[in-house]
Amino acid sequence: MRASDAIIKSLEEEKVHMIFGYPGGAILPFYDSLRTSNIEHILVRHEQSAAHSASGYARATGKVGVCTATSGPGATNLITGIATAYMDSIPLVIITGQVDSNFIGKDVFQEADITGATEPFTKHNYLVKNAQDLPKIIKEAFYIASSGRPGPVLIDIPVDIQKEHIKYDYPKSVNIPGYKPTYEGHAGQVKRALQKLKASQKPLICVGGGIICAKASKELKDFAEKAKIPVVHTLMGIGALPSDSPYYVGMVGSHGHSFSNQIVMESDLLMIIGTRVGDRATAGMKLLNEKQNIIHVDIDPAEVGKNIDTTIPIVGDAKNILKQFSNKCTTLQTDAWMEKINQLKETYHKEELDASHVNPKKALNFLSKVVDDEAILAADVGQNQLWAARNFKIKGNRKFFTSGGLGTMGYSLPAAIGAKLAFPEKTVICVVGDGGLQMSLSELGTILENDLNIIILLFNNSRLGMVRELQDIHYESNYFSVTLNKNPDFVKIAEAYGLPGKKVTSQKEFEETIQGALTSKKGYFIECVVDSDFSTL
Ligand SMILES: Cc1ncc(C[n+]2csc(CCOP(=O)(O)OP(=O)(O)O)c2C)c(N)n1
């Protein structure tokens, strides 16, 4: 069998239905085999988007996302997307073409050392030297990408290797010496954690994206409700617990809700699950107070205790460990603690929101009320990201995607495309700023080509709003290189790509337009004109 056919057959074994990519000479044997397979190929407009779309697809489905590109510039264009997925623990398998094996290292046309370049941003990567190894490598790649802490795995395949013939035999199992993720959690540590929990007056759970990776939302809800423990979350933990749960508190960190940070500081026991406790999550709260006990649960042993001193470390799968906690824990006496939390939250909700112009916070609150419970929202980076994170409510089966770790502008549109292709019947909304949109504008072409009815919500403040705000706070409002005064007519551009659109300048107009867009079930582009001085928080 041709090695390229063997690659496709292996992908079929892994139940891959869709690949996001961009072809070129060094990946053509692979494309020639893909041509006759049942796997759908989505031709994006830029390789970076191939990785982001595969990531959106992976987040939506919970499966491994797959993307591909040719050697050299195709492969290097993928890097930002790979690094974005790596920082957010998203499972991807990336297949790149490489120049002919005999020419590697000779700086031939379109050669780039992509395994070297992606070494820091991949969970593992392979440069295939022997065609016969391909099925085994693919089996391993999917296993590594999706097991333990998920992440991207890259397979770089020289073009001559793709053209060879091999004996095809897909392995049934993998055995990778030195790679054995721990799922169970140490029984003694779980017992100690339960004892500490029992003695606690003000327990609090803080969750991150690890809950979503581990598909442990149900177990989190069961545990929080059974033990009566309130839950805060990081940016990546949005959606881990529905916001209408009585135990839901809010987001922590520099851009989180102030009451959430206050509650973290007041708690006497903090149980951190599936979060690396990144700098943005801890900013704004003075962890630790001396009397606080910290239990840190994570599947990646390298994360436990990395950013925060831990009283009880537990390495294991969040789903598994939460189940153990639920089974073994009794209801805690947290009524007074919960009452205090609810009072604090109420004070916050009385805050009046400005009603002039389009108020992004109000707009996203309104969107929460009118969108269905299956909707997926992909937010970009900047003020728009945090407006969405703080104001769009996650309930039912709603999902929220964003580039939390790397903070990559231009992420949301291709990620929304990946999500929509995974679930064509779901409402998919892309929230983006005028800077970020222009980083992936060409993907409107992918939307047109594939007839995707995505709603794009552009918050246009004619600024790189987030950076401008930093210049306000830290550089005495000495603005430099943050204005986008000559933005194009975005609605016209959207229309040129077949997407109907409207520019709205008032809250009322926004509300009417978004309701119309949601009920028409057609793709729509809404440009909201936002006051450039509007703050993030
Ligand atoms: C690829 C990339 N380049 C630069 C940045 C730095 N950065 C963070 S937020 C931001 C401004 C984003 O502006 P815009 O997309 O208009 O959104 P807004 O903040 O106005 O909502 C910039 C430049 C980044 N996060 N990603």
Side-chain angles (χ1 to χ4, degrees):
M1 182 187 282
R2 284 193 303 177
S4 56
D5 291 336
I7 301 170
I8 302 299
K9 221 166 169 331
S10 304
L11 296 178
E12 284 168 353
E13 290 270 3
E14 294 297 330
K15 310 237 169 344
V16 173
H17 295 126
M18 190 170 279
I19 296 181
F20 301 87
Y22 211 97
I27 192 77
L28 274 188
F30 170 87
Y31 267 80
D32 192 50
S33 299
L34 186 58
R35 180 175 58 84
T36 49
S37 88
N38 289 328
I39 299 175
E40 196 176 347
H41 178 260
I42 303 297
L43 177 66
V44 293
R45 299 300 184 260
H46 189 291
E47 289 88 353
Q48 185 180 125
S49 302
H52 289 329
S53 290
S55 168
Y57 180 91
R59 287 195 198 196
T61 57
K63 295 180 4 182
V64 175
V66 182
C67 59
T68 189
T70 193
S71 64
T76 54
N77 270 352
L78 284 169
I79 292 177
T80 301
I82 298 172
T84 304
Y86 182 72
M87 288 287 276
D88 288 345
S89 309
I90 307 301
L92 293 186
V93 166
I94 305 112
I95 296 173
T96 48
Q98 182 54 278
V99 299
D100 196 284
S101 310
N102 292 321
F103 295 139
I104 290 180
K106 306 214 162 141
D107 290 342
V108 296
F109 179 63
Q110 292 194 328
E111 184 191 357
D113 174 8
I114 197 63
T115 45
T118 58
E119 166 81 38
F121 312 121
T122 45
K123 200 170 161 189
H124 192 57
N125 66 28
Y126 299 86
L127 170 60
V128 182
K129 296 194 173 122
N130 182 347
Q132 192 57 51
D133 293 343
L134 272 163
K136 179 173 168 280
I137 286 176
I138 292 170
K139 178 86 186 171
E140 283 181 4
F142 275 82
Y143 176 70
I144 294 170
S146 58
S147 59
R149 178 182 184 170
V153 178
L154 181 137
I155 310 172
D156 195 28
I157 318 175
V159 65
D160 56 314
I161 298 234
Q162 296 172 48
K163 289 182 198 156
E164 275 184 36
H165 280 76
I166 64 164
K167 193 169 157 287
Y168 180 75
D169 184 15
Y170 201 64
K172 298 218 164 17
S173 58
V174 289
N175 180 20
I176 308 167
Y179 180 68
K180 300 271 177 289
T182 309
Y183 289 96
E184 296 304 323
H186 189 280
Q189 295 294 75
V190 171
K191 198 169 159 195
R192 277 184 63 209
L194 279 163
Q195 278 162 358
K196 287 268 185 235
L197 210 56
K198 254 189 218 162
S200 152
Q201 312 292 311
K202 296 175 179 176
L204 184 65
I205 301 171
C206 177
V207 294
I211 296 285
I212 296 158
C213 290
K215 303 182 180 79
S217 288
K218 184 186 172 297
E219 287 72 15
L220 172 67
K221 187 167 174 286
D222 289 351
F223 175 51
E225 283 176 3
K226 183 174 176 202
K228 293 197 172 180
I229 308 178
V231 178
V232 292
H233 60 83
T234 65
L235 180 67
M236 288 302 292
I238 292 179
L241 185 73
S243 61
D244 52 4
S245 159
Y247 296 96
Y248 175 86
V249 179
M251 189 163 87
V252 294
S254 51
H255 295 97
H257 302 111
S258 49
F259 57 80
S260 302
N261 291 339
Q262 190 177 331
I263 288 159
V264 173
M265 287 188 276
E266 286 192 25
S267 66
D268 61 4
L269 179 142
L270 187 59
M271 189 170 189
I272 299 169
I273 314 176
T275 163
R276 65 196 166 93
V277 207
D279 54 317
R280 258 188 162 194
T282 49
M285 50 177 173
K286 292 178 203 83
L287 285 171
L288 315 156
N289 76 49
E290 290 113 52
K291 290 186 209 107
Q292 209 169 32
N293 282 304
I294 306 276
I295 300 165
H296 193 171
V297 179
D298 205 287
I299 191 129
D300 184 350
E303 289 302 347
V304 180
K306 182 174 92 179
N307 293 333
I308 192 167
D309 288 338
T310 304
T311 323
I312 304 175
I314 303 177
V315 176
D317 170 59
K319 192 182 185 89
N320 222 309
I321 287 162
L322 279 163
K323 253 191 222 164
Q324 295 184 46
F325 277 123
S326 271
N327 291 342
K328 293 176 190 156
C329 189
T330 49
T331 302
L332 305 176
Q333 294 307 319
T334 56
D335 292 354
W337 176 223
M338 282 307 302
E339 199 181 310
K340 170 156 198 196
I341 290 172
N342 288 331
Q343 267 171 10
L344 259 175
K345 275 175 82 173
E346 221 161 272
T347 329
Y348 169 84
H349 284 302
K350 285 204 181 105
E351 237 176 61
E352 264 307 306
L353 293 173
D354 169 25
S356 60
H357 306 281
V358 179
N359 176 324
K361 301 173 196 174
K362 258 193 145 181
L364 285 151
N365 260 299
F366 182 78
L367 180 65
S368 294
K369 291 195 188 107
V370 289
V371 80
D372 63 75
D373 279 5
E374 291 293 315
I376 297 175
L377 187 142
D380 212 70
V381 168
Q383 291 187 297
N384 62 88
Q385 176 186 44
L386 299 159
W387 289 328
R390 290 167 58 94
N391 296 286
F392 183 76
K393 308 276 177 299
I394 298 292
K395 61 188 184 72
N397 201 25
R398 287 181 191 174
K399 290 190 166 73
F400 179 86
F401 305 160
T402 199
S403 166
L406 199 64
T408 308
M409 285 168 74
Y411 163 85
S412 64
L413 190 57
I417 290 173
K420 186 72 189 178
L421 283 158
F423 291 109
E425 72 290 356
K426 289 199 182 195
T427 304
V428 175
I429 301 154
C430 158
V431 169
V432 66
D434 45 325
L437 177 65
Q438 292 181 82
M439 286 206 181
S440 55
L441 198 55
S442 58
E443 295 311 322
L444 292 176
T446 311
I447 291 181
L448 173 65
E449 188 90 48
N450 294 282
D451 222 354
L452 302 177
N453 53 354
I454 293 171
I455 296 176
I456 300 171
L457 205 50
L458 163 67
F459 288 117
N460 185 358
N461 50 12
S462 303
R463 301 285 182 274
L464 301 176
M466 186 77 150
V467 182
R468 182 180 188 267
E469 203 174 40
L470 289 175
Q471 291 180 346
D472 258 328
I473 300 166
H474 301 294
Y475 300 90
E476 291 149 6
S477 300
N478 286 318
Y479 304 130
F480 183 64
S481 288
V482 287
T483 48
L484 297 167
N485 282 334
K486 291 206 173 159
N487 268 331
D489 185 332
F490 288 114
V491 172
K492 265 196 191 154
I493 292 178
E495 284 171 351
Y497 278 101
L499 208 59
K502 188 168 180 191
K503 186 171 186 165
V504 301
T505 52
S506 74
Q507 194 63 30
K508 187 165 169 283
E509 233 185 329
F510 168 76
E511 292 182 7
E512 284 165 5
T513 312
I514 191 81
Q515 266 176 314
L518 288 169
T519 43
S520 82
K521 290 269 168 206
K522 292 228 172 76
Y524 206 83
F525 184 90
I526 307 178
E527 176 182 354
C528 302
V529 180
V530 175
D531 186 328
S532 54
D533 285 323
F534 206 86
S535 67
T536 304
L537 299 183

PDB file of all heavy atoms in Angstrom, residues 309-323:
ATOM      1  N   ASP A 309       1.916  27.165  46.373  1.00  0.00           N
ATOM      2  CA  ASP A 309       2.279  26.145  47.367  1.00  0.00           C
ATOM      3  C   ASP A 309       1.050  25.317  47.696  1.00  0.00           C
ATOM      4  O   ASP A 309      -0.033  25.856  47.882  1.00  0.00           O
ATOM      5  CB  ASP A 309       2.802  26.807  48.654  1.00  0.00           C
ATOM      6  CG  ASP A 309       4.186  27.394  48.418  1.00  0.00           C
ATOM      7  OD1 ASP A 309       4.857  26.931  47.477  1.00  0.00           O
ATOM      8  OD2 ASP A 309       4.559  28.330  49.148  1.00  0.00           O
ATOM      9  N   THR A 310       1.253  24.023  47.781  1.00  0.00           N
ATOM     10  CA  THR A 310       0.110  23.128  47.932  1.00  0.00           C
ATOM     11  C   THR A 310       0.190  22.356  49.237  1.00  0.00           C
ATOM     12  O   THR A 310       1.243  21.826  49.576  1.00  0.00           O
ATOM     13  CB  THR A 310       0.108  22.139  46.736  1.00  0.00           C
ATOM     14  OG1 THR A 310       0.090  22.906  45.550  1.00  0.00           O
ATOM     15  CG2 THR A 310      -1.094  21.234  46.757  1.00  0.00           C
ATOM     16  N   THR A 311      -0.921  22.292  49.966  1.00  0.00           N
ATOM     17  CA  THR A 311      -0.952  21.503  51.201  1.00  0.00           C
ATOM     18  C   THR A 311      -1.074  20.022  50.850  1.00  0.00           C
ATOM     19  O   THR A 311      -0.358  19.182  51.364  1.00  0.00           O
ATOM     20  CB  THR A 311      -2.163  21.901  52.085  1.00  0.00           C
ATOM     21  OG1 THR A 311      -2.369  23.301  51.985  1.00  0.00           O
ATOM     22  CG2 THR A 311      -1.965  21.483  53.516  1.00  0.00           C
ATOM     23  N   ILE A 312      -2.027  19.727  49.945  1.00  0.00           N
ATOM     24  CA  ILE A 312      -2.207  18.328  49.528  1.00  0.00           C
ATOM     25  C   ILE A 312      -2.224  18.250  47.998  1.00  0.00           C
ATOM     26  O   ILE A 312      -3.170  18.712  47.367  1.00  0.00           O
ATOM     27  CB  ILE A 312      -3.525  17.735  50.092  1.00  0.00           C
ATOM     28  CG1 ILE A 312      -3.547  17.871  51.619  1.00  0.00           C
ATOM     29  CG2 ILE A 312      -3.689  16.273  49.667  1.00  0.00           C
ATOM     30  CD1 ILE A 312      -4.835  17.430  52.260  1.00  0.00           C
ATOM     31  N   PRO A 313      -1.172  17.712  47.403  1.00  0.00           N
ATOM     32  CA  PRO A 313      -1.170  17.538  45.946  1.00  0.00           C
ATOM     33  C   PRO A 313      -1.846  16.222  45.563  1.00  0.00           C
ATOM     34  O   PRO A 313      -1.634  15.211  46.230  1.00  0.00           O
ATOM     35  CB  PRO A 313       0.319  17.491  45.608  1.00  0.00           C
ATOM     36  CG  PRO A 313       0.992  17.025  46.854  1.00  0.00           C
ATOM     37  CD  PRO A 313       0.099  17.310  48.022  1.00  0.00           C
ATOM     38  N   ILE A 314      -2.661  16.251  44.518  1.00  0.00           N
ATOM     39  CA  ILE A 314      -3.255  15.002  44.012  1.00  0.00           C
ATOM     40  C   ILE A 314      -3.086  14.972  42.504  1.00  0.00           C
ATOM     41  O   ILE A 314      -3.603  15.846  41.803  1.00  0.00           O
ATOM     42  CB  ILE A 314      -4.759  14.881  44.368  1.00  0.00           C
ATOM     43  CG1 ILE A 314      -4.953  14.976  45.886  1.00  0.00           C
ATOM     44  CG2 ILE A 314      -5.336  13.573  43.826  1.00  0.00           C
ATOM     45  CD1 ILE A 314      -6.402  14.940  46.337  1.00  0.00           C
ATOM     46  N   VAL A 315      -2.339  13.994  42.012  1.00  0.00           N
ATOM     47  CA  VAL A 315      -2.157  13.858  40.567  1.00  0.00           C
ATOM     48  C   VAL A 315      -3.151  12.830  40.061  1.00  0.00           C
ATOM     49  O   VAL A 315      -3.156  11.683  40.499  1.00  0.00           O
ATOM     50  CB  VAL A 315      -0.703  13.440  40.234  1.00  0.00           C
ATOM     51  CG1 VAL A 315      -0.552  13.209  38.735  1.00  0.00           C
ATOM     52  CG2 VAL A 315       0.268  14.512  40.706  1.00  0.00           C
ATOM     53  N   GLY A 316      -4.008  13.251  39.140  1.00  0.00           N
ATOM     54  CA  GLY A 316      -4.980  12.315  38.594  1.00  0.00           C
ATOM     55  C   GLY A 316      -6.007  13.018  37.735  1.00  0.00           C
ATOM     56  O   GLY A 316      -5.992  14.247  37.582  1.00  0.00           O
ATOM     57  N   ASP A 317      -6.895  12.221  37.186  1.00  0.00           N
ATOM     58  CA  ASP A 317      -7.939  12.710  36.294  1.00  0.00           C
ATOM     59  C   ASP A 317      -9.068  13.352  37.096  1.00  0.00           C
ATOM     60  O   ASP A 317      -9.584  12.758  38.051  1.00  0.00           O
ATOM     61  CB  ASP A 317      -8.454  11.506  35.488  1.00  0.00           C
ATOM     62  CG  ASP A 317      -9.691  11.826  34.705  1.00  0.00           C
ATOM     63  OD1 ASP A 317      -9.624  12.737  33.873  1.00  0.00           O
ATOM     64  OD2 ASP A 317     -10.726  11.169  34.927  1.00  0.00           O
ATOM     65  N   ALA A 318      -9.464  14.557  36.682  1.00  0.00           N
ATOM     66  CA  ALA A 318     -10.458  15.320  37.446  1.00  0.00           C
ATOM     67  C   ALA A 318     -11.773  14.547  37.600  1.00  0.00           C
ATOM     68  O   ALA A 318     -12.383  14.544  38.677  1.00  0.00           O
ATOM     69  CB  ALA A 318     -10.707  16.655  36.762  1.00  0.00           C
ATOM     70  N   LYS A 319     -12.186  13.887  36.528  1.00  0.00           N
ATOM     71  CA  LYS A 319     -13.462  13.166  36.556  1.00  0.00           C
ATOM     72  C   LYS A 319     -13.428  12.077  37.636  1.00  0.00           C
ATOM     73  O   LYS A 319     -14.309  11.964  38.478  1.00  0.00           O
ATOM     74  CB  LYS A 319     -13.673  12.536  35.174  1.00  0.00           C
ATOM     75  CG  LYS A 319     -15.057  11.990  34.909  1.00  0.00           C
ATOM     76  CD  LYS A 319     -15.060  11.368  33.505  1.00  0.00           C
ATOM     77  CE  LYS A 319     -16.420  10.916  33.103  1.00  0.00           C
ATOM     78  NZ  LYS A 319     -17.197  11.961  32.433  1.00  0.00           N
ATOM     79  N   ASN A 320     -12.341  11.323  37.584  1.00  0.00           N
ATOM     80  CA  ASN A 320     -12.136  10.232  38.510  1.00  0.00           C
ATOM     81  C   ASN A 320     -12.094  10.695  39.956  1.00  0.00           C
ATOM     82  O   ASN A 320     -12.738  10.121  40.843  1.00  0.00           O
ATOM     83  CB  ASN A 320     -10.758   9.662  38.161  1.00  0.00           C
ATOM     84  CG  ASN A 320     -10.761   8.189  38.171  1.00  0.00           C
ATOM     85  OD1 ASN A 320     -11.202   7.612  39.152  1.00  0.00           O
ATOM     86  ND2 ASN A 320     -10.307   7.600  37.076  1.00  0.00           N
ATOM     87  N   ILE A 321     -11.352  11.746  40.176  1.00  0.00           N
ATOM     88  CA  ILE A 321     -11.135  12.198  41.555  1.00  0.00           C
ATOM     89  C   ILE A 321     -12.397  12.860  42.105  1.00  0.00           C
ATOM     90  O   ILE A 321     -12.759  12.660  43.267  1.00  0.00           O
ATOM     91  CB  ILE A 321      -9.880  13.073  41.621  1.00  0.00           C
ATOM     92  CG1 ILE A 321      -8.695  12.111  41.467  1.00  0.00           C
ATOM     93  CG2 ILE A 321      -9.770  13.847  42.914  1.00  0.00           C
ATOM     94  CD1 ILE A 321      -7.426  12.684  41.095  1.00  0.00           C
ATOM     95  N   LEU A 322     -13.089  13.609  41.251  1.00  0.00           N
ATOM     96  CA  LEU A 322     -14.347  14.216  41.710  1.00  0.00           C
ATOM     97  C   LEU A 322     -15.366  13.137  42.082  1.00  0.00           C
ATOM     98  O   LEU A 322     -16.118  13.287  43.042  1.00  0.00           O
ATOM     99  CB  LEU A 322     -14.907  15.140  40.626  1.00  0.00           C
ATOM    100  CG  LEU A 322     -14.257  16.523  40.593  1.00  0.00           C
ATOM    101  CD1 LEU A 322     -14.543  17.235  39.272  1.00  0.00           C
ATOM    102  CD2 LEU A 322     -14.740  17.382  41.763  1.00  0.00           C
ATOM    103  N   LYS A 323     -15.363  12.061  41.304  1.00  0.00           N
ATOM    104  CA  LYS A 323     -16.271  10.950  41.617  1.00  0.00           C
ATOM    105  C   LYS A 323     -15.942  10.393  42.997  1.00  0.00           C
ATOM    106  O   LYS A 323     -16.827  10.153  43.820  1.00  0.00           O
ATOM    107  CB  LYS A 323     -16.097   9.832  40.578  1.00  0.00           C
ATOM    108  CG  LYS A 323     -17.256   9.722  39.615  1.00  0.00           C
ATOM    109  CD  LYS A 323     -17.114   8.441  38.814  1.00  0.00           C
ATOM    110  CE  LYS A 323     -17.445   8.691  37.365  1.00  0.00           C
ATOM    111  NZ  LYS A 323     -17.012   7.681  36.445  1.00  0.00           N
TER     112      LYS A 323
END
